Amino acid sequence: MTIAHPATPIERVPGRAWTVRLTGYADRSATVSCSNTACTMPARSKDLPALRRFAAQHAAAHAKAATVRANARCHCGSTGCEAHPDTRTQCAGAVTLILRHDPTVGRVWNVEEVCAACAPLLAHTTVIARAARPQRASTQPPAPVSVPSPAVRPGVPGGFSSPTAGPDDRLTAPARRPRRAAQRPQRRSSGRPR
């Protein structure tokens, strides 16, 4: 006997990451490299400010072109959360696309798909985009049904209502007599005259 499940679980895919790196040499020249081998990089040059601008723009272009996938695993979690070793967390939450760049070093730009739990723990991070929530099947909610208000029925004394009490079945509560305060017998101590 085969049992078919109505909703197939979404298959998780590895989180993507792009690294753009500026590498300097002893002759004061540098090159820009990208982890995506299909990208075209400029030639080795001594114009470091131009190469730095190119690297920043290239990382931003990867971030702009990437569509965040809701079924992606956290890239940070796949590396054992090495980027935030002092703070451990469970990977959880929506997938976010982040750009990491430490301006004091200024040589590496990372664009990564990480979870919402890891993103705030990563230093020098800017959240670029968040994954859209997956849309459910096109089941529209049923049209609102107008429910007639129930007929007002007389209540039963005491503040309760009875669905079976009609106008002729109305019960009248007997008049309540005020309670007498219970009188306590006075204690007399034996052996002492009063």
Side-chain angles (χ1 to χ4, degrees):
M1 177 177 187
T2 304
I3 298 174
H5 296 283
T8 311
I10 298 174
E11 185 177 332
R12 304 289 283 187
V13 295
R16 296 174 293 177
W18 297 270
T19 302
V20 179
R21 186 177 309 272
L22 183 64
T23 307
Y25 300 97
D27 65 349
R28 298 187 182 242
S29 66
T31 58
V32 177
S33 62
C34 181
S35 61
N36 184 355
T37 57
C39 294
T40 305
M41 296 291 116
R44 185 171 170 169
S45 170
K46 289 191 177 189
D47 189 1
L48 297 179
L51 290 177
R52 186 171 277 120
R53 277 192 306 276
F54 176 83
Q57 291 170 353
H58 187 75
H62 274 298
K64 186 176 180 180
T67 302
V68 187
R69 302 170 304 167
N71 63 335
R73 280 192 226 109
C74 177
H75 182 264
C76 180
S78 68
T79 62
C81 295
E82 292 173 353
H84 54 90
D86 297 336
T87 308
R88 287 288 174 204
T89 185
Q90 294 282 335
C91 289
V95 179
T96 59
L97 186 68
I98 61 162
L99 172 64
R100 285 193 307 147
H101 173 68
D102 185 351
T104 57
V105 177
R107 294 182 179 198
V108 179
W109 292 259
N110 292 308
V111 178
E112 304 172 14
E113 286 178 316
V114 299
C115 70
C118 287
L121 301 176
L122 300 170
H124 309 290
T125 300
T126 304
V127 175
I128 304 296
R130 298 182 192 282
R133 292 186 177 197
Q135 294 184 1
R136 296 184 180 174
S138 62
T139 57
Q140 295 182 0
V145 178
S146 61
V147 178
S149 61
V152 178
R153 298 185 182 171
V156 175
F160 297 100
S161 63
S162 171
T164 59
D168 298 331
D169 300 338
R170 190 170 204 173
L171 299 174
T172 56
R176 294 183 118 186
R177 286 191 242 154
R179 288 182 118 183
R180 287 187 187 175
Q183 293 183 0
R184 293 185 178 163
Q186 293 182 358
R187 292 186 176 182
R188 296 186 182 189
S189 41
S190 59
R192 281 190 351 188
R194 266 197 136 189

